[in-house]
Amino acid sequence: MSALLAMQPLVGAAWAPDHILRIGNATLAADCTERQSVTINGTSPGPTLRAQEGDNSVWIRVFNDMEAENTTLHWHGISQYGSPFADGTPATSQWPIAPGNYFDYEFKLAAGSAGTYMYHTHVGFSVVTAYGAFIVEDSDAPPYDYDDERVVVLGDFYYKSDYNLSAGLLAAPFKWTNDPQALTVNGNAYGECDSEVKACQSGCHTEVVSVEPDRTYRIRVIGATALSFLYMALEDHPSFELIEVDGDYVNTHKASFLEVASGQRYSFLLRTKSIDELRALGKTRFWANLESRWRTTRSYGAWILEYNTTKLPGDGADPYSTLPHLNKTIPLPDEAPFWVMNEVTPLDATQAPPDDSEVSRTIFVDGTQLNSGPSDAQKTFWQTHGYMYSEEMPATPYLIQAYQGGLTIDYDAAIANEGYDNTTHSLPVRAGEVVDIVFLNVASASGTLEAHPWHIHGKHPYVMAYGLGEFSEEAYAAARANMTAPIKRDTVMVCSRVNAVYAGPEGMAYSNTTIPQGQVAGWTVFRLRADVPGAFMLHCHIQPHFTMGMGTVLLIGMEELPPLPEGFADQYMTYNATPQDVPTSFFALAGGRVIRRTS
Ligand code: C2O
Ligand code: CU
């Protein structure tokens, strides 16, 4: 840090970023098998960042230390009031950070935003390892009492490179990523590497989270997986209390297991056992079991809750060597849509969605899978409104276009087309408008459906209702009546009629039923007061689906953008590339787009 500061113009000792993050390449071996990966400050996860809610802004300088890949860093779940240029999305909120360059992200953490977030890269498949926890601390005492907290970041580990994973998804014929080779917890996983086949390292292990007896812990769980939707339960700790969903406190809600999709976060309170209880059980280590759902086969992983006590001996089991028993230790249910999400209510009783009378219109986001060409050279992709999102389009990022004064919004065209403007390939919304955004789960050509965690950037909307089957005003009203009180969140499951996912050997995926192409088999509704001007992504947080096009962009109040901070335009607006030099791929950049710094 001191070498870095020395390079800065001296404008007072206080002028330094709150955090410096360096995105680079490194060899990881989460489950002992080596993989070239993108890391943040050399590790995966990167450092846990902490900042306090309130008026102070946080300034994070991000360096791209990679030789041949562009990058950006996104602050997942954090509202970007007044700082849409800090949202960290290529083609939408900024030029990507070219190799050897850096970018300054500065944003405020609004009062009331205390909670659990994450940061991750937003270019190509690097997100599979380039992520970290971001904790927004309460400015006062948190509304729930706890003695301490622990952070549990869930991830997927693949042996294929980021480039191969992405390239396969976009190839003809299409090559699926398959399920990950390991589920990681805080970057760790148990594994048995075969050095005949792969380069190996030793020392990988199941993550151990240690606690003291007789205490209350806040366990913050972060879904940083690229693909896996996980169920989690704790051995001999049959229930816990949910207190936070995606950065908002909720009234305590008892649950026996946790459901975490990619992009979602939860906090729960865990009351640890007393010494007497531990003695009665005869052990001090307990499995936390992880199993994936909504796929044709299940992935398994774990972490270990270890009591830090010398007062009684452990149960003799070596936690690092018993993984094969894992998936039998704690029974977890089969897939079921919506979990406890209809019953969880906001802690702040005054927190309520905008009234129906304020809703100006309904915007539809119709995610569906399509295939092209003959089967031996078939491409597979995901679309909304017939358009496959690509992080390379438009050639100039939306927000830069808007600051240049070159983005013309045709609200009428969008309103006439369920909210989608076919010219800009976006969902334009006027500043201050209240809209219902309906995610539709539409059957593919082969009659299949999947469950998708849709994520919205910019601001947390209210989740108004979840449904299965066709969407209609009647279905919406009935589902709302079934919801105790809407909560805010930024990543929401859009499920489907239970019998329509891919056929496979396990769980509900086994039913092998299809639904006619184009039929809507499930939906979820967000209600958004669009008072945060900026260009914000809306996408499925399953990275393979996103790579295959499952995303779109909300353009909120493009006429009322906040001014750029003084001096920021030099870094933000300009780049040293002629249009012909625009790389064909952000994640495989070879020269081309370069951000020129003046300092
Ligand atoms: Cu965590 Cu655009 O996503
Ligand atoms: Cu998806």
Side-chain angles (χ1 to χ4, degrees), residues 428-473:
V429 179
R430 286 200 170 84
E433 222 184 320
V434 176
V435 290
D436 273 357
I437 300 173
V438 183
F439 298 97
L440 300 174
N441 202 345
V442 183
S444 72
S446 49
T448 54
L449 293 127
E450 297 186 40
H452 305 278
W454 276 90
H455 171 56
I456 187 170
H457 288 218
K459 185 194 171 183
H460 293 189
Y462 285 88
V463 185
M464 299 301 288
Y466 298 93
L468 298 175
E470 297 275 4
F471 178 81
S472 66
E473 283 307 319

mmCIF file of all heavy atoms in Angstrom, residues 428-473:
data_model
loop_
_atom_site.group_PDB
_atom_site.id
_atom_site.type_symbol
_atom_site.label_atom_id
_atom_site.label_comp_id
_atom_site.label_asym_id
_atom_site.label_seq_id
_atom_site.Cartn_x
_atom_site.Cartn_y
_atom_site.Cartn_z
ATOM 1 N N PRO A 428 -36.520 0.741 -20.706
ATOM 2 C CA PRO A 428 -36.415 2.105 -20.195
ATOM 3 C C PRO A 428 -37.558 2.432 -19.225
ATOM 4 O O PRO A 428 -38.704 2.045 -19.450
ATOM 5 C CB PRO A 428 -36.510 2.969 -21.455
ATOM 6 C CG PRO A 428 -37.190 2.123 -22.471
ATOM 7 C CD PRO A 428 -37.003 0.687 -22.101
ATOM 8 N N VAL A 429 -37.220 3.111 -18.149
ATOM 9 C CA VAL A 429 -38.208 3.481 -17.130
ATOM 10 C C VAL A 429 -37.934 4.934 -16.757
ATOM 11 O O VAL A 429 -36.777 5.325 -16.582
ATOM 12 C CB VAL A 429 -38.075 2.584 -15.881
ATOM 13 C CG1 VAL A 429 -39.076 2.995 -14.815
ATOM 14 C CG2 VAL A 429 -38.276 1.112 -16.239
ATOM 15 N N ARG A 430 -38.994 5.727 -16.638
ATOM 16 C CA ARG A 430 -38.802 7.132 -16.268
ATOM 17 C C ARG A 430 -38.451 7.233 -14.775
ATOM 18 O O ARG A 430 -38.944 6.455 -13.963
ATOM 19 C CB ARG A 430 -40.067 7.941 -16.535
ATOM 20 C CG ARG A 430 -40.289 8.198 -18.009
ATOM 21 C CD ARG A 430 -41.238 9.376 -18.214
ATOM 22 N NE ARG A 430 -41.260 9.752 -19.624
ATOM 23 C CZ ARG A 430 -42.025 9.147 -20.528
ATOM 24 N NH1 ARG A 430 -42.820 8.159 -20.179
ATOM 25 N NH2 ARG A 430 -41.977 9.517 -21.806
ATOM 26 N N ALA A 431 -37.633 8.219 -14.436
ATOM 27 C CA ALA A 431 -37.249 8.402 -13.035
ATOM 28 C C ALA A 431 -38.501 8.597 -12.190
ATOM 29 O O ALA A 431 -39.379 9.390 -12.543
ATOM 30 C CB ALA A 431 -36.320 9.595 -12.893
ATOM 31 N N GLY A 432 -38.592 7.852 -11.105
ATOM 32 C CA GLY A 432 -39.708 8.000 -10.187
ATOM 33 C C GLY A 432 -40.902 7.117 -10.507
ATOM 34 O O GLY A 432 -41.793 6.938 -9.678
ATOM 35 N N GLU A 433 -40.913 6.533 -11.686
ATOM 36 C CA GLU A 433 -42.018 5.644 -12.067
ATOM 37 C C GLU A 433 -42.041 4.424 -11.143
ATOM 38 O O GLU A 433 -40.986 3.962 -10.685
ATOM 39 C CB GLU A 433 -41.777 5.165 -13.510
ATOM 40 C CG GLU A 433 -43.009 5.139 -14.393
ATOM 41 C CD GLU A 433 -42.718 4.553 -15.778
ATOM 42 O OE1 GLU A 433 -41.641 4.842 -16.349
ATOM 43 O OE2 GLU A 433 -43.559 3.824 -16.273
ATOM 44 N N VAL A 434 -43.236 3.916 -10.886
ATOM 45 C CA VAL A 434 -43.350 2.652 -10.149
ATOM 46 C C VAL A 434 -43.809 1.589 -11.139
ATOM 47 O O VAL A 434 -44.834 1.761 -11.812
ATOM 48 C CB VAL A 434 -44.351 2.763 -8.984
ATOM 49 C CG1 VAL A 434 -44.537 1.407 -8.299
ATOM 50 C CG2 VAL A 434 -43.878 3.809 -7.977
ATOM 51 N N VAL A 435 -43.039 0.534 -11.251
ATOM 52 C CA VAL A 435 -43.382 -0.507 -12.228
ATOM 53 C C VAL A 435 -43.411 -1.875 -11.555
ATOM 54 O O VAL A 435 -42.708 -2.121 -10.576
ATOM 55 C CB VAL A 435 -42.359 -0.548 -13.402
ATOM 56 C CG1 VAL A 435 -42.498 0.674 -14.297
ATOM 57 C CG2 VAL A 435 -40.927 -0.683 -12.883
ATOM 58 N N ASP A 436 -44.248 -2.742 -12.086
ATOM 59 C CA ASP A 436 -44.190 -4.157 -11.741
ATOM 60 C C ASP A 436 -43.369 -4.849 -12.825
ATOM 61 O O ASP A 436 -43.643 -4.665 -14.013
ATOM 62 C CB ASP A 436 -45.597 -4.774 -11.699
ATOM 63 C CG ASP A 436 -46.254 -4.617 -10.321
ATOM 64 O OD1 ASP A 436 -45.596 -4.089 -9.397
ATOM 65 O OD2 ASP A 436 -47.423 -5.032 -10.181
ATOM 66 N N ILE A 437 -42.362 -5.593 -12.401
ATOM 67 C CA ILE A 437 -41.547 -6.344 -13.359
ATOM 68 C C ILE A 437 -41.883 -7.824 -13.162
ATOM 69 O O ILE A 437 -41.670 -8.375 -12.083
ATOM 70 C CB ILE A 437 -40.045 -6.099 -13.129
ATOM 71 C CG1 ILE A 437 -39.734 -4.600 -13.283
ATOM 72 C CG2 ILE A 437 -39.213 -6.939 -14.092
ATOM 73 C CD1 ILE A 437 -38.302 -4.226 -12.919
ATOM 74 N N VAL A 438 -42.450 -8.431 -14.200
ATOM 75 C CA VAL A 438 -42.884 -9.827 -14.097
ATOM 76 C C VAL A 438 -41.890 -10.712 -14.841
ATOM 77 O O VAL A 438 -41.723 -10.581 -16.058
ATOM 78 C CB VAL A 438 -44.291 -10.006 -14.705
ATOM 79 C CG1 VAL A 438 -44.766 -11.444 -14.524
ATOM 80 C CG2 VAL A 438 -45.277 -9.037 -14.075
ATOM 81 N N PHE A 439 -41.240 -11.590 -14.107
ATOM 82 C CA PHE A 439 -40.352 -12.563 -14.740
ATOM 83 C C PHE A 439 -41.186 -13.778 -15.111
ATOM 84 O O PHE A 439 -41.837 -14.371 -14.240
ATOM 85 C CB PHE A 439 -39.250 -12.994 -13.772
ATOM 86 C CG PHE A 439 -38.362 -11.869 -13.360
ATOM 87 C CD1 PHE A 439 -38.592 -11.197 -12.165
ATOM 88 C CD2 PHE A 439 -37.306 -11.465 -14.159
ATOM 89 C CE1 PHE A 439 -37.779 -10.140 -11.781
ATOM 90 C CE2 PHE A 439 -36.491 -10.416 -13.787
ATOM 91 C CZ PHE A 439 -36.727 -9.747 -12.591
ATOM 92 N N LEU A 440 -41.141 -14.123 -16.382
ATOM 93 C CA LEU A 440 -41.910 -15.278 -16.843
ATOM 94 C C LEU A 440 -40.942 -16.420 -17.144
ATOM 95 O O LEU A 440 -39.908 -16.211 -17.786
ATOM 96 C CB LEU A 440 -42.691 -14.930 -18.109
ATOM 97 C CG LEU A 440 -43.709 -13.789 -18.016
ATOM 98 C CD1 LEU A 440 -44.270 -13.476 -19.395
ATOM 99 C CD2 LEU A 440 -44.832 -14.144 -17.033
ATOM 100 N N ASN A 441 -41.294 -17.596 -16.687
ATOM 101 C CA ASN A 441 -40.495 -18.780 -16.983
ATOM 102 C C ASN A 441 -41.192 -19.509 -18.127
ATOM 103 O O ASN A 441 -42.239 -20.111 -17.942
ATOM 104 C CB ASN A 441 -40.400 -19.653 -15.725
ATOM 105 C CG ASN A 441 -39.203 -20.586 -15.771
ATOM 106 O OD1 ASN A 441 -38.611 -20.796 -16.824
ATOM 107 N ND2 ASN A 441 -38.858 -21.147 -14.622
ATOM 108 N N VAL A 442 -40.608 -19.392 -19.323
ATOM 109 C CA VAL A 442 -41.285 -19.842 -20.544
ATOM 110 C C VAL A 442 -40.647 -21.137 -21.050
ATOM 111 O O VAL A 442 -39.413 -21.235 -21.141
ATOM 112 C CB VAL A 442 -41.183 -18.742 -21.633
ATOM 113 C CG1 VAL A 442 -41.947 -19.144 -22.880
ATOM 114 C CG2 VAL A 442 -41.702 -17.407 -21.102
ATOM 115 N N ALA A 443 -41.492 -22.102 -21.399
ATOM 116 C CA ALA A 443 -40.988 -23.413 -21.828
ATOM 117 C C ALA A 443 -40.180 -23.303 -23.123
ATOM 118 O O ALA A 443 -40.517 -22.551 -24.033
ATOM 119 C CB ALA A 443 -42.151 -24.384 -22.012
ATOM 120 N N SER A 444 -39.108 -24.070 -23.196
ATOM 121 C CA SER A 444 -38.216 -24.065 -24.359
ATOM 122 C C SER A 444 -38.811 -24.895 -25.494
ATOM 123 O O SER A 444 -39.850 -25.542 -25.336
ATOM 124 C CB SER A 444 -36.869 -24.664 -23.974
ATOM 125 O OG SER A 444 -37.022 -26.069 -23.805
ATOM 126 N N ALA A 445 -38.095 -24.907 -26.625
ATOM 127 C CA ALA A 445 -38.548 -25.688 -27.785
ATOM 128 C C ALA A 445 -38.672 -27.166 -27.432
ATOM 129 O O ALA A 445 -39.537 -27.870 -27.940
ATOM 130 C CB ALA A 445 -37.579 -25.491 -28.938
ATOM 131 N N SER A 446 -37.815 -27.614 -26.544
ATOM 132 C CA SER A 446 -37.904 -29.031 -26.176
ATOM 133 C C SER A 446 -38.838 -29.236 -24.981
ATOM 134 O O SER A 446 -38.918 -30.328 -24.428
ATOM 135 C CB SER A 446 -36.507 -29.585 -25.877
ATOM 136 O OG SER A 446 -35.823 -28.724 -25.005
ATOM 137 N N GLY A 447 -39.532 -28.159 -24.581
ATOM 138 C CA GLY A 447 -40.548 -28.313 -23.540
ATOM 139 C C GLY A 447 -40.008 -28.344 -22.128
ATOM 140 O O GLY A 447 -40.713 -28.716 -21.194
ATOM 141 N N THR A 448 -38.753 -27.907 -21.971
ATOM 142 C CA THR A 448 -38.150 -27.958 -20.640
ATOM 143 C C THR A 448 -38.160 -26.580 -19.988
ATOM 144 O O THR A 448 -38.296 -25.551 -20.656
ATOM 145 C CB THR A 448 -36.682 -28.425 -20.717
ATOM 146 O OG1 THR A 448 -36.002 -27.576 -21.632
ATOM 147 C CG2 THR A 448 -36.607 -29.862 -21.187
ATOM 148 N N LEU A 449 -37.985 -26.589 -18.679
ATOM 149 C CA LEU A 449 -37.881 -25.360 -17.902
ATOM 150 C C LEU A 449 -36.851 -25.581 -16.811
ATOM 151 O O LEU A 449 -36.563 -26.697 -16.438
ATOM 152 C CB LEU A 449 -39.227 -25.021 -17.264
ATOM 153 C CG LEU A 449 -40.302 -24.644 -18.272
ATOM 154 C CD1 LEU A 449 -41.526 -25.476 -18.057
ATOM 155 C CD2 LEU A 449 -40.591 -23.170 -18.206
ATOM 156 N N GLU A 450 -36.313 -24.482 -16.309
ATOM 157 C CA GLU A 450 -35.401 -24.572 -15.175
ATOM 158 C C GLU A 450 -35.814 -23.527 -14.146
ATOM 159 O O GLU A 450 -36.697 -22.721 -14.406
ATOM 160 C CB GLU A 450 -33.959 -24.310 -15.630
ATOM 161 C CG GLU A 450 -33.479 -25.352 -16.624
ATOM 162 C CD GLU A 450 -32.018 -25.183 -16.968
ATOM 163 O OE1 GLU A 450 -31.216 -24.886 -16.057
ATOM 164 O OE2 GLU A 450 -31.682 -25.340 -18.148
ATOM 165 N N ALA A 451 -35.148 -23.544 -13.006
ATOM 166 C CA ALA A 451 -35.409 -22.538 -11.975
ATOM 167 C C ALA A 451 -34.290 -21.505 -12.054
ATOM 168 O O ALA A 451 -33.115 -21.858 -12.111
ATOM 169 C CB ALA A 451 -35.428 -23.196 -10.609
ATOM 170 N N HIS A 452 -34.665 -20.223 -12.083
ATOM 171 C CA HIS A 452 -33.670 -19.167 -12.298
ATOM 172 C C HIS A 452 -33.654 -18.146 -11.165
ATOM 173 O O HIS A 452 -34.697 -17.602 -10.817
ATOM 174 C CB HIS A 452 -33.974 -18.409 -13.590
ATOM 175 C CG HIS A 452 -34.076 -19.279 -14.788
ATOM 176 N ND1 HIS A 452 -32.987 -19.728 -15.489
ATOM 177 C CD2 HIS A 452 -35.161 -19.810 -15.410
ATOM 178 C CE1 HIS A 452 -33.381 -20.484 -16.503
ATOM 179 N NE2 HIS A 452 -34.702 -20.558 -16.472
ATOM 180 N N PRO A 453 -32.483 -17.833 -10.631
ATOM 181 C CA PRO A 453 -32.370 -16.710 -9.688
ATOM 182 C C PRO A 453 -32.140 -15.407 -10.457
ATOM 183 O O PRO A 453 -31.033 -15.133 -10.906
ATOM 184 C CB PRO A 453 -31.140 -17.091 -8.848
ATOM 185 C CG PRO A 453 -30.309 -17.965 -9.734
ATOM 186 C CD PRO A 453 -31.229 -18.603 -10.745
ATOM 187 N N TRP A 454 -33.208 -14.628 -10.653
ATOM 188 C CA TRP A 454 -33.069 -13.351 -11.366
ATOM 189 C C TRP A 454 -32.559 -12.289 -10.407
ATOM 190 O O TRP A 454 -33.073 -12.139 -9.294
ATOM 191 C CB TRP A 454 -34.404 -12.921 -11.972
ATOM 192 C CG TRP A 454 -34.667 -13.544 -13.309
ATOM 193 C CD1 TRP A 454 -35.303 -14.728 -13.549
ATOM 194 C CD2 TRP A 454 -34.293 -13.028 -14.595
ATOM 195 N NE1 TRP A 454 -35.351 -14.976 -14.905
ATOM 196 C CE2 TRP A 454 -34.744 -13.944 -15.575
ATOM 197 C CE3 TRP A 454 -33.630 -11.875 -15.020
ATOM 198 C CZ2 TRP A 454 -34.552 -13.746 -16.944
ATOM 199 C CZ3 TRP A 454 -33.436 -11.678 -16.383
ATOM 200 C CH2 TRP A 454 -33.890 -12.610 -17.330
ATOM 201 N N HIS A 455 -31.573 -11.550 -10.855
ATOM 202 C CA HIS A 455 -30.914 -10.537 -10.019
ATOM 203 C C HIS A 455 -31.077 -9.162 -10.649
ATOM 204 O O HIS A 455 -30.917 -9.008 -11.849
ATOM 205 C CB HIS A 455 -29.427 -10.883 -9.889
ATOM 206 C CG HIS A 455 -28.601 -9.817 -9.229
ATOM 207 N ND1 HIS A 455 -28.883 -9.324 -7.972
ATOM 208 C CD2 HIS A 455 -27.499 -9.147 -9.650
ATOM 209 C CE1 HIS A 455 -27.985 -8.400 -7.662
ATOM 210 N NE2 HIS A 455 -27.138 -8.271 -8.652
ATOM 211 N N ILE A 456 -31.398 -8.181 -9.818
ATOM 212 C CA ILE A 456 -31.534 -6.813 -10.310
ATOM 213 C C ILE A 456 -30.431 -5.950 -9.705
ATOM 214 O O ILE A 456 -30.133 -6.042 -8.519
ATOM 215 C CB ILE A 456 -32.938 -6.240 -10.002
ATOM 216 C CG1 ILE A 456 -33.148 -4.881 -10.663
ATOM 217 C CG2 ILE A 456 -33.188 -6.136 -8.490
ATOM 218 C CD1 ILE A 456 -34.590 -4.389 -10.605
ATOM 219 N N HIS A 457 -29.825 -5.132 -10.533
ATOM 220 C CA HIS A 457 -28.827 -4.171 -10.064
ATOM 221 C C HIS A 457 -29.524 -2.854 -9.727
ATOM 222 O O HIS A 457 -30.636 -2.597 -10.158
ATOM 223 C CB HIS A 457 -27.806 -3.889 -11.168
ATOM 224 C CG HIS A 457 -26.862 -5.008 -11.451
ATOM 225 N ND1 HIS A 457 -25.538 -4.802 -11.746
ATOM 226 C CD2 HIS A 457 -27.024 -6.345 -11.486
ATOM 227 C CE1 HIS A 457 -24.934 -5.954 -11.964
ATOM 228 N NE2 HIS A 457 -25.815 -6.923 -11.824
ATOM 229 N N GLY A 458 -28.807 -1.997 -8.998
ATOM 230 C CA GLY A 458 -29.263 -0.615 -8.813
ATOM 231 C C GLY A 458 -29.990 -0.368 -7.515
ATOM 232 O O GLY A 458 -29.681 0.556 -6.796
ATOM 233 N N LYS A 459 -30.995 -1.190 -7.229
ATOM 234 C CA LYS A 459 -31.842 -0.930 -6.078
ATOM 235 C C LYS A 459 -32.665 -2.180 -5.773
ATOM 236 O O LYS A 459 -32.981 -2.933 -6.683
ATOM 237 C CB LYS A 459 -32.777 0.229 -6.424
ATOM 238 C CG LYS A 459 -33.627 0.661 -5.270
ATOM 239 C CD LYS A 459 -34.764 1.566 -5.691
ATOM 240 C CE LYS A 459 -35.668 1.749 -4.471
ATOM 241 N NZ LYS A 459 -36.837 2.547 -4.740
ATOM 242 N N HIS A 460 -33.028 -2.360 -4.494
ATOM 243 C CA HIS A 460 -33.841 -3.523 -4.136
ATOM 244 C C HIS A 460 -35.328 -3.251 -4.354
ATOM 245 O O HIS A 460 -35.872 -2.348 -3.739
ATOM 246 C CB HIS A 460 -33.670 -3.874 -2.657
ATOM 247 C CG HIS A 460 -32.305 -4.355 -2.325
ATOM 248 N ND1 HIS A 460 -31.983 -4.885 -1.102
ATOM 249 C CD2 HIS A 460 -31.174 -4.395 -3.059
ATOM 250 C CE1 HIS A 460 -30.706 -5.220 -1.106
ATOM 251 N NE2 HIS A 460 -30.190 -4.925 -2.267
ATOM 252 N N PRO A 461 -35.975 -4.036 -5.188
ATOM 253 C CA PRO A 461 -37.429 -3.914 -5.308
ATOM 254 C C PRO A 461 -38.114 -4.797 -4.254
ATOM 255 O O PRO A 461 -37.460 -5.537 -3.528
ATOM 256 C CB PRO A 461 -37.707 -4.445 -6.709
ATOM 257 C CG PRO A 461 -36.552 -5.343 -7.012
ATOM 258 C CD PRO A 461 -35.431 -5.039 -6.073
ATOM 259 N N TYR A 462 -39.420 -4.693 -4.180
ATOM 260 C CA TYR A 462 -40.210 -5.602 -3.350
ATOM 261 C C TYR A 462 -40.565 -6.836 -4.163
ATOM 262 O O TYR A 462 -40.850 -6.737 -5.361
ATOM 263 C CB TYR A 462 -41.502 -4.923 -2.896
ATOM 264 C CG TYR A 462 -41.271 -3.917 -1.796
ATOM 265 C CD1 TYR A 462 -40.949 -2.600 -2.110
ATOM 266 C CD2 TYR A 462 -41.347 -4.296 -0.460
ATOM 267 C CE1 TYR A 462 -40.721 -1.676 -1.100
ATOM 268 C CE2 TYR A 462 -41.126 -3.365 0.541
ATOM 269 C CZ TYR A 462 -40.803 -2.064 0.225
ATOM 270 O OH TYR A 462 -40.571 -1.153 1.219
ATOM 271 N N VAL A 463 -40.561 -7.979 -3.503
ATOM 272 C CA VAL A 463 -41.036 -9.200 -4.155
ATOM 273 C C VAL A 463 -42.521 -9.299 -3.827
ATOM 274 O O VAL A 463 -42.901 -9.541 -2.685
ATOM 275 C CB VAL A 463 -40.300 -10.448 -3.648
ATOM 276 C CG1 VAL A 463 -40.735 -11.671 -4.453
ATOM 277 C CG2 VAL A 463 -38.793 -10.256 -3.722
ATOM 278 N N MET A 464 -43.357 -9.072 -4.820
ATOM 279 C CA MET A 464 -44.799 -8.997 -4.586
ATOM 280 C C MET A 464 -45.459 -10.367 -4.514
ATOM 281 O O MET A 464 -46.404 -10.569 -3.747
ATOM 282 C CB MET A 464 -45.475 -8.188 -5.697
ATOM 283 C CG MET A 464 -44.985 -6.759 -5.793
ATOM 284 S SD MET A 464 -45.232 -5.831 -4.267
ATOM 285 C CE MET A 464 -47.010 -5.630 -4.287
ATOM 286 N N ALA A 465 -45.023 -11.297 -5.370
ATOM 287 C CA ALA A 465 -45.694 -12.598 -5.404
ATOM 288 C C ALA A 465 -44.899 -13.579 -6.248
ATOM 289 O O ALA A 465 -44.138 -13.188 -7.133
ATOM 290 C CB ALA A 465 -47.101 -12.447 -5.987
ATOM 291 N N TYR A 466 -45.107 -14.853 -5.921
ATOM 292 C CA TYR A 466 -44.530 -15.956 -6.686
ATOM 293 C C TYR A 466 -45.668 -16.798 -7.231
ATOM 294 O O TYR A 466 -46.677 -16.977 -6.537
ATOM 295 C CB TYR A 466 -43.725 -16.879 -5.783
ATOM 296 C CG TYR A 466 -42.546 -16.262 -5.087
ATOM 297 C CD1 TYR A 466 -42.672 -15.735 -3.807
ATOM 298 C CD2 TYR A 466 -41.290 -16.261 -5.683
ATOM 299 C CE1 TYR A 466 -41.577 -15.198 -3.143
ATOM 300 C CE2 TYR A 466 -40.190 -15.732 -5.030
ATOM 301 C CZ TYR A 466 -40.342 -15.198 -3.754
ATOM 302 O OH TYR A 466 -39.258 -14.677 -3.103
ATOM 303 N N GLY A 467 -45.500 -17.338 -8.426
ATOM 304 C CA GLY A 467 -46.557 -18.196 -8.946
ATOM 305 C C GLY A 467 -46.029 -19.328 -9.800
ATOM 306 O O GLY A 467 -44.916 -19.275 -10.314
ATOM 307 N N LEU A 468 -46.858 -20.342 -9.937
ATOM 308 C CA LEU A 468 -46.588 -21.444 -10.854
ATOM 309 C C LEU A 468 -47.678 -21.439 -11.914
ATOM 310 O O LEU A 468 -48.801 -21.034 -11.649
ATOM 311 C CB LEU A 468 -46.593 -22.780 -10.097
ATOM 312 C CG LEU A 468 -45.531 -22.920 -9.007
ATOM 313 C CD1 LEU A 468 -45.709 -24.214 -8.241
ATOM 314 C CD2 LEU A 468 -44.127 -22.847 -9.609
ATOM 315 N N GLY A 469 -47.332 -21.884 -13.104
ATOM 316 C CA GLY A 469 -48.314 -21.897 -14.188
ATOM 317 C C GLY A 469 -48.355 -20.559 -14.910
ATOM 318 O O GLY A 469 -47.426 -19.755 -14.831
ATOM 319 N N GLU A 470 -49.457 -20.306 -15.632
ATOM 320 C CA GLU A 470 -49.598 -19.082 -16.427
ATOM 321 C C GLU A 470 -49.719 -17.851 -15.524
ATOM 322 O O GLU A 470 -50.268 -17.938 -14.425
ATOM 323 C CB GLU A 470 -50.869 -19.165 -17.290
ATOM 324 C CG GLU A 470 -50.858 -20.289 -18.306
ATOM 325 C CD GLU A 470 -50.152 -19.922 -19.607
ATOM 326 O OE1 GLU A 470 -49.604 -18.802 -19.685
ATOM 327 O OE2 GLU A 470 -50.135 -20.766 -20.515
ATOM 328 N N PHE A 471 -49.246 -16.719 -16.018
ATOM 329 C CA PHE A 471 -49.431 -15.468 -15.302
ATOM 330 C C PHE A 471 -50.712 -14.793 -15.772
ATOM 331 O O PHE A 471 -50.988 -14.729 -16.961
ATOM 332 C CB PHE A 471 -48.257 -14.519 -15.555
ATOM 333 C CG PHE A 471 -48.421 -13.195 -14.877
ATOM 334 C CD1 PHE A 471 -48.121 -13.058 -13.528
ATOM 335 C CD2 PHE A 471 -48.905 -12.085 -15.569
ATOM 336 C CE1 PHE A 471 -48.300 -11.835 -12.876
ATOM 337 C CE2 PHE A 471 -49.076 -10.865 -14.926
ATOM 338 C CZ PHE A 471 -48.774 -10.744 -13.577
ATOM 339 N N SER A 472 -51.506 -14.301 -14.816
ATOM 340 C CA SER A 472 -52.700 -13.514 -15.163
ATOM 341 C C SER A 472 -52.963 -12.582 -13.986
ATOM 342 O O SER A 472 -52.402 -12.771 -12.902
ATOM 343 C CB SER A 472 -53.914 -14.429 -15.359
ATOM 344 O OG SER A 472 -54.244 -15.043 -14.114
ATOM 345 N N GLU A 473 -53.802 -11.605 -14.188
ATOM 346 C CA GLU A 473 -54.159 -10.701 -13.094
ATOM 347 C C GLU A 473 -54.754 -11.481 -11.925
ATOM 348 O O GLU A 473 -54.453 -11.200 -10.761
ATOM 349 C CB GLU A 473 -55.157 -9.634 -13.576
ATOM 350 C CG GLU A 473 -54.513 -8.519 -14.402
ATOM 351 C CD GLU A 473 -53.321 -7.853 -13.693
ATOM 352 O OE1 GLU A 473 -53.393 -7.619 -12.463
ATOM 353 O OE2 GLU A 473 -52.305 -7.594 -14.372
#
